[in-house]
Amino acid sequence: MDLKFGLYQQQTLKLSMTQELKQAIELLQYSAQELTSFLEAKATENPLIQLENTNIKYIDMRNDGSKKSRSKIKERDDKQWIDQIAQTSMSLQDYLFIQISLKTLSKDEKRMLTQLIYNLDSNGYLTIRLDEAAQICGLPTEMADQSLRLIHNLEPAGVGARDLRECLLLQINRKKECPQIVKDILLNYFNDFAEKKWKVISNGLNVEMNEIQLAADYIKKLEPRPGSAYHKEQPQYIVPDLIVTIENENIEVNLFQKHLPNVQFQKDYYATMSAYKDQQVKHFLKEKTKDYQWIMKSLQQRNETLLNVGMTIIEKQFDFFLKGPAYLKPLTMKEVSHEIGIHESTVSRAVREKYIQTPFGTYELRYFFSAGLMKTSGEEEEQASAFQVKTMIANFIDKENKLKPLSDQLIVDELKKLGIVVSRRTIAKYREQLKIPSSAKRKRYG
């Protein structure tokens, strides 16, 4: 082997990750809210950028708003009916304080009750130990225990419990018609009951399995989260990035950008500052103009990429948009990237936290990318989407004989009859994703 040292010239071409390129990649994966925040930050640091919010209407103070006709007000109210739906404004704590206000209590008792009530979570469970509550209030633990028993007697039944077992016991103690077997199970065999080890309970209580089944049906009617009725989360509204419209089986997709501010160039400011002969001012204007042009180019590229991805999804999932979610086909980001001519990672960034409005609801763009499973149809081999297989599993279990529920292997056999080849492990994974328990835990005994 002849090794020699020397200096050689070689021309190579490689991509350099500049700050502009890095920001362009980040701009593509921004959600609508993140993009708005980014543009607002840019407008703050760049005086040549002006944002105009298209979703904000200015009120002309010269017009008297009180002169609007009743018909227009009624028309507006009819359109905004969803905002008029009544909400429960009373919290769990408020409801409990109303009840204890009717009782004669000392100042120490009220202080202890207040401490305990404000340490209830949204489900109505106590999140603090009694000795801790007593120490905070500077009162004996016996008073904390007495106050907790008082809370246990308030409505809703089960409030103030420290665990699920205590919550259920508090509820059945108020029911005179409660079967004795239910109390015995909750008191002595709660863990075995939860894990559905019913044979252990049957032997321990010397009862038949169908009696335990009746007890289970009774327990299912109890409320495991007594405080949830007083906990109302604010609804989260999703603004779609793409809107699909269908007319005569012709599908059209458009970008929806009314919620985004319009980026405008400050011509007056640029003309005023250009009049100065200072070199630093000219350099500043040149730099900020370049920044504005880069933002506009990046926004245009973002919109084109998002629209191309949306159009490709519609092309690949044509039956979904015409017939519904049951016709969702297998689709990978690699297929879309090859179709558009961009990298797979670019598709991943483009669909991140982006939504599309369809005739069947608003979906995240990632929803349309589903793994494919082998499907044999005669001599041809096709692909069945994971979503379709999950739907089939749910239908099989919904129609099964509850006395002899289908095992994962039996579901595999049923799918094989339909020409879909799936492993038992895959069935178990999909079943867990659907939050469906195993066949042993689904079995009924009468």
Side-chain angles (χ1 to χ4, degrees):
M1 182 180 289
D2 188 15
L3 297 177
K4 294 182 179 180
F5 293 96
L7 296 175
Y8 302 95
Q9 279 189 341
Q10 185 178 4
Q11 198 172 32
T12 60
L13 181 65
K14 62 180 182 179
L15 182 64
S16 178
M17 180 65 76
T18 62
Q19 183 67 21
E20 288 79 7
L21 180 59
K22 183 180 178 182
Q23 288 186 346
I25 293 174
E26 292 177 352
L27 199 67
L28 178 62
Q29 67 181 2
Y30 281 162
S31 64
Q33 186 176 1
E34 291 171 337
L35 180 59
T36 302
S37 300
F38 170 80
L39 293 176
E40 289 175 351
K42 279 294 182 181
T44 302
E45 65 182 44
N46 190 344
L48 297 180
I49 296 177
Q50 180 181 2
L51 301 182
E52 293 182 357
N53 292 300
T54 57
N55 57 346
I56 296 178
K57 295 183 179 180
Y58 297 95
I59 299 175
D60 189 354
M61 300 304 295
R62 293 171 296 180
N63 296 332
D64 187 3
S66 62
K67 295 181 180 179
K68 292 183 179 179
S69 63
R70 293 181 178 271
S71 60
K72 289 186 177 180
I73 295 176
K74 185 179 184 302
E75 181 181 355
R76 181 197 63 192
D77 292 342
D78 290 341
K79 290 181 180 179
Q80 298 177 352
W81 62 271
I82 196 169
D83 295 329
Q84 302 173 21
I85 297 176
Q87 292 185 345
T88 304
S89 58
M90 182 179 295
S91 66
L92 175 64
Q93 283 74 14
D94 293 336
Y95 185 51
L96 294 175
F97 281 129
I98 290 174
Q99 295 178 69
I100 64 173
S101 66
L102 303 176
K103 301 181 181 296
T104 303
L105 302 169
S106 64
K107 290 184 179 180
D108 290 342
E109 288 173 331
K110 288 182 180 179
R111 190 150 52 94
M112 179 58 71
L113 283 168
T114 301
Q115 181 66 32
L116 294 177
I117 289 174
Y118 277 124
N119 277 282
L120 297 176
D121 63 13
S122 59
N123 294 322
Y125 287 86
L126 187 66
T127 59
I128 189 174
R129 297 201 312 269
L130 293 181
D131 57 339
E132 291 180 356
Q135 186 177 3
I136 293 173
C137 295
L139 297 170
T141 308
E142 292 77 12
M143 181 175 288
D145 184 65
Q146 181 182 355
S147 299
L148 182 60
R149 286 200 299 270
L150 176 58
I151 293 176
H152 287 168
N153 292 323
L154 301 178
E155 295 292 339
V159 69
R162 285 158 286 192
D163 52 42
L164 177 59
R165 176 175 169 272
E166 185 179 21
C167 177
L168 299 177
L169 285 170
L170 288 171
Q171 294 179 56
I172 66 172
N173 288 336
R174 299 191 188 187
K175 298 179 181 292
K176 296 180 180 179
E177 74 285 359
C178 177
Q180 183 60 39
I181 187 175
V182 174
K183 297 181 180 179
D184 294 336
I185 289 174
L186 293 180
L187 285 171
N188 304 313
Y189 296 95
F190 181 74
N191 292 333
D192 293 327
F193 176 78
E195 296 173 6
K196 208 156 187 179
K197 297 179 180 179
W198 290 6
K199 289 185 179 180
V200 177
I201 304 173
S202 177
N203 295 330
L205 296 178
N206 193 23
V207 295
E208 298 294 332
M209 297 290 281
N210 62 340
E211 295 183 60
I212 302 176
Q213 182 66 65
L214 293 174
D217 294 339
Y218 187 91
I219 292 174
K220 286 180 181 179
K221 296 178 182 178
L222 302 177
E223 177 55 67
R225 300 187 301 163
S228 60
Y230 300 89
H231 179 68
K232 299 292 182 182
E233 293 185 358
Q234 291 295 327
Q236 300 295 324
Y237 298 101
I238 295 176
V239 179
D241 300 272
L242 297 170
I243 294 181
V244 174
T245 54
I246 300 176
E247 187 174 351
N248 298 327
E249 294 191 356
N250 293 322
I251 302 178
E252 183 179 346
V253 60
N254 295 292
L255 283 169
F256 182 76
Q257 295 185 312
K258 291 184 179 180
H259 57 298
L260 295 175
N262 288 330
V263 183
Q264 302 291 336
F265 186 75
Q266 284 275 34
K267 295 181 180 179
D268 296 338
Y269 181 85
Y270 181 83
T272 302
M273 298 302 293
S274 297
Y276 291 93
K277 304 298 182 182
D278 193 304
Q279 292 297 324
Q280 291 185 351
V281 173
K282 291 183 177 181
H283 177 74
F284 174 80
L285 291 177
K286 182 179 180 181
E287 181 182 344
K288 296 304 179 183
T289 302
K290 184 179 178 181
D291 187 37
Y292 165 79
Q293 293 172 346
W294 168 81
I295 289 177
M296 296 303 296
K297 182 180 178 181
S298 299
L299 287 174
Q300 182 181 359
Q301 187 176 3
R302 177 184 186 272
N303 294 339
E304 290 177 356
T305 303
L306 188 57
L307 192 57
N308 288 335
V309 170
M311 292 173 65
T312 306
I313 289 175
I314 290 175
E315 181 182 343
K316 298 292 184 180
Q317 303 285 5
F318 194 80
D319 289 339
F320 170 92
F321 292 95
L322 289 180
K323 302 177 182 178
Y327 293 86
L328 186 70
K329 296 179 180 178
L331 183 64
T332 62
M333 293 185 183
K334 191 174 183 179
E335 293 179 54
V336 175
S337 66
H338 282 308
E339 190 76 20
I340 303 176
I342 58 178
H343 197 271
E344 185 178 350
S345 62
T346 305
V347 178
S348 178
R349 292 187 181 96
V351 301
R352 174 188 174 271
E353 294 187 20
K354 309 294 192 309
Y355 294 86
I356 183 170
Q357 181 178 305
T358 73
F360 304 99
T362 301
Y363 296 87
E364 191 175 5
L365 285 178
R366 286 187 180 273
Y367 171 83
F368 297 94
F369 297 96
S370 177
L373 299 168
M374 189 61 65
K375 179 180 180 181
T376 58
S377 177
E379 296 180 355
E380 299 180 356
E381 288 188 351
E382 302 175 355
Q383 291 286 317
S385 71
F387 178 82
Q388 289 175 325
V389 175
K390 288 179 182 178
T391 303
M392 291 178 181
I393 293 172
N395 289 335
F396 287 151
I397 293 175
D398 185 54
K399 298 176 182 178
E400 70 182 357
N401 182 359
K402 301 303 179 182
L403 300 178
K404 294 180 180 180
L406 296 173
S407 64
D408 293 342
Q409 185 58 50
L410 288 175
I411 295 176
V412 170
D413 298 337
E414 290 293 327
L415 289 173
K416 191 176 292 184
K417 293 177 183 177
L418 299 175
I420 300 175
V421 182
V422 189
S423 67
R424 188 186 62 80
R425 183 178 296 179
T426 303
I427 294 297
K429 181 181 75 172
Y430 288 169
R431 179 174 50 73
E432 290 175 359
Q433 291 175 357
L434 293 169
K435 296 182 179 179
I436 298 175
S438 63
S439 57
K441 294 185 178 180
R442 298 198 309 271
K443 184 176 181 180
R444 290 184 60 87
Y445 295 89

